[in-house]
């Protein structure tokens, strides 16, 4: 920083501004260069592609595979897996989940199902509001609360217009200021946020061959400062981590069928 006695006023102001920038970066979970802190997802190849893991204090968008206004369980499942990783890496704090009401096109996230994926439901706060505008407001307020680990909001198809872009920019700014990570969930494929989210994922359910663990075909369509990618992964709730799906993974988990003993076998 130099000797204050030999610094002019401009130099001292520059040093003070640099110090303030470093403090703001620490509060946002970034380094002085603005690089985001990251949460490893537990799979080496995926974490390397992401630059060390999922960026914290940023907004991430997850879209589903449906082509109409239908709720998509794969979106809920993948989001829940990411929340499990966030909570395991955090020293404390909860998740704020801003839900949409159940309607003729589908229901809400099911608590027992989320718990089955390893999500600690005691650390999840569900919020119901009247409409999407209030849901955006609740999500923004949650992102400004440093006591939270993450904020998730369920939304319908993207609405065109400047108002939507401004709302999404406000979410991104709130996340970067507090260091709280945000997620936008949209079930409709191809419908993405107007703003520049940090990452955008497309999630599709994949055949599991009878394996009860969720298997997803993931497409990373956008990554700030990185490249798109694609993986076929499954979620191992017992370990709380993602793993690459292949036939060996299925065979190692599915129990062999037991053979019913015939009368001759029993007598032997």
């Amino acid at each position: 920083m130099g000797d204050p006695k030999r610094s002019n006023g401009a130099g001292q102001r520059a040093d003070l501004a640099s110090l303030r920038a470093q403090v703001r970066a620490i509060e946002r979970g970034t380094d002085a260069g603005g690089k985001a802190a990251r949460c490893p997802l537990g799979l080496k190849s995926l974490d390397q592609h992401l630059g060390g893991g999922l960026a914290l204090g940023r907004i991430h968008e997850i879209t589903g595979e449906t082509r109409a206004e239908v709720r998509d369980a794969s979106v809920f499942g993948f989001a829940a897996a990411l929340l499990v990783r966030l909570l395991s890496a955090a020293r404390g704090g909860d998740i704020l989940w801003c839900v949409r009401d159940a309607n003729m096109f589908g229901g809400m996230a099911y608590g027992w199902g989320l718990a089955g994926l390893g999500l600690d439901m005691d650390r999840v706060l569900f919020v119901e509001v009247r409409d999407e505008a209030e849901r955006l407001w609740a999500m923004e307020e949650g992102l400004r609360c440093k006591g939270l680990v993450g904020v998730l909001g369920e939304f319908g198809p993207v609405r065109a217009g400047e108002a939507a872009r401004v709302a999404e920019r406000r979410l991104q700014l709130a996340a970067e200021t507090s260091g709280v990570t945000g997620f936008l969930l949209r079930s409709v494929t191809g419908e993405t946020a107007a703003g520049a989210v940090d990452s955008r994922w497309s999630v599709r359910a994949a055949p599991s061959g009878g394996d009860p663990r969720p298997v997803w075909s993931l497409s990373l369509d956008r990554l700030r400062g990185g490249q798109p990618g694609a993986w076929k992964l499954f979620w191992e709730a017992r370990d709380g981590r993602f793993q690459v799906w292949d036939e060996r993974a299925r065979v190692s988990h599915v129990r062999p069928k037991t053979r019913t003993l015939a009368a001759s076998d029993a007598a032997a």
Side-chain angles (χ1 to χ4, degrees), residues 110-203:
Y110 182 50
W112 285 109
L114 298 176
L117 293 173
L119 186 59
D120 184 356
M121 299 307 295
D122 290 335
R123 298 180 66 181
V124 181
L125 309 173
F126 289 97
V127 175
E128 295 184 53
V129 294
R130 292 182 300 180
D131 52 31
E132 187 164 301
E134 288 195 357
R135 198 173 303 114
L136 281 168
W137 173 84
M139 189 174 181
E140 181 182 347
E141 291 299 306
L143 287 169
R144 297 185 185 281
C145 179
K146 296 182 180 180
L148 295 174
V149 176
V151 177
L152 183 148
E154 301 175 29
F155 296 92
V158 174
R159 295 183 179 181
E162 181 62 23
R165 289 191 291 270
V166 170
E168 286 150 7
R169 285 197 294 267
R170 289 176 64 92
L171 294 180
Q172 184 68 40
L173 179 60
E176 292 182 358
T177 301
S178 65
V180 180
T181 308
F183 299 92
L184 296 171
L185 267 59
R186 302 184 191 275
S187 295
V188 181
T189 183
E191 297 287 352
T192 59
V197 295
D198 193 90
S199 70
R200 179 175 293 123
W201 303 80
S202 296
V203 186

Side-chain angles (χ1 to χ4, degrees), residues 1-253:
M1 181 178 293
D3 186 355
K5 296 179 180 179
R6 298 185 179 181
S7 300
N8 56 28
Q12 291 179 2
R13 286 194 296 271
D15 290 338
L16 183 58
S18 175
L19 180 60
R20 287 173 174 170
Q22 293 180 42
V23 172
R24 288 195 297 269
I26 293 172
E27 291 176 343
R28 292 197 304 265
T30 64
D31 60 21
K35 185 177 180 181
R38 297 187 178 272
C39 172
L41 299 182
L43 180 62
K44 184 177 180 180
S45 59
L46 181 59
D47 287 332
Q48 287 180 341
H49 191 94
L50 296 174
L54 192 73
L56 301 177
R58 299 289 189 268
I59 301 295
H60 306 276
E61 187 174 31
I62 305 172
T63 62
E65 60 183 315
T66 60
R67 299 188 178 277
E69 179 53 286
V70 179
R71 306 294 167 82
D72 191 344
S74 60
V75 173
F76 290 130
F78 179 64
L82 294 179
L83 295 181
V84 171
R85 296 297 303 183
L86 281 182
L87 289 174
S88 64
R91 296 179 180 177
D94 297 324
I95 299 293
L96 182 68
W97 191 311
C98 305
V99 302
R100 298 176 69 193
D101 292 335
N103 57 27
M104 63 181 294
F105 299 110
M108 300 165 58
Y110 182 50
W112 285 109
L114 298 176
L117 293 173
L119 186 59
D120 184 356
M121 299 307 295
D122 290 335
R123 298 180 66 181
V124 181
L125 309 173
F126 289 97
V127 175
E128 295 184 53
V129 294
R130 292 182 300 180
D131 52 31
E132 187 164 301
E134 288 195 357
R135 198 173 303 114
L136 281 168
W137 173 84
M139 189 174 181
E140 181 182 347
E141 291 299 306
L143 287 169
R144 297 185 185 281
C145 179
K146 296 182 180 180
L148 295 174
V149 176
V151 177
L152 183 148
E154 301 175 29
F155 296 92
V158 174
R159 295 183 179 181
E162 181 62 23
R165 289 191 291 270
V166 170
E168 286 150 7
R169 285 197 294 267
R170 289 176 64 92
L171 294 180
Q172 184 68 40
L173 179 60
E176 292 182 358
T177 301
S178 65
V180 180
T181 308
F183 299 92
L184 296 171
L185 267 59
R186 302 184 191 275
S187 295
V188 181
T189 183
E191 297 287 352
T192 59
V197 295
D198 193 90
S199 70
R200 179 175 293 123
W201 303 80
S202 296
V203 186
R204 290 167 174 78
S208 64
D211 194 306
R213 296 172 297 185
V215 183
W216 301 301
S217 292
L218 299 179
S219 174
L220 179 58
D221 301 324
R222 183 189 188 279
L223 178 64
R224 180 184 296 183
Q227 299 295 322
W231 300 265
K232 186 176 181 180
L233 306 178
F234 71 93
W235 174 249
E236 182 56 81
R238 293 177 299 184
D239 300 332
R241 59 194 294 254
F242 294 97
Q243 298 188 45
V244 175
W245 175 261
D246 56 24
E247 186 62 20
R248 289 174 298 178
R250 187 188 72 83
V251 172
S252 66
H253 184 80

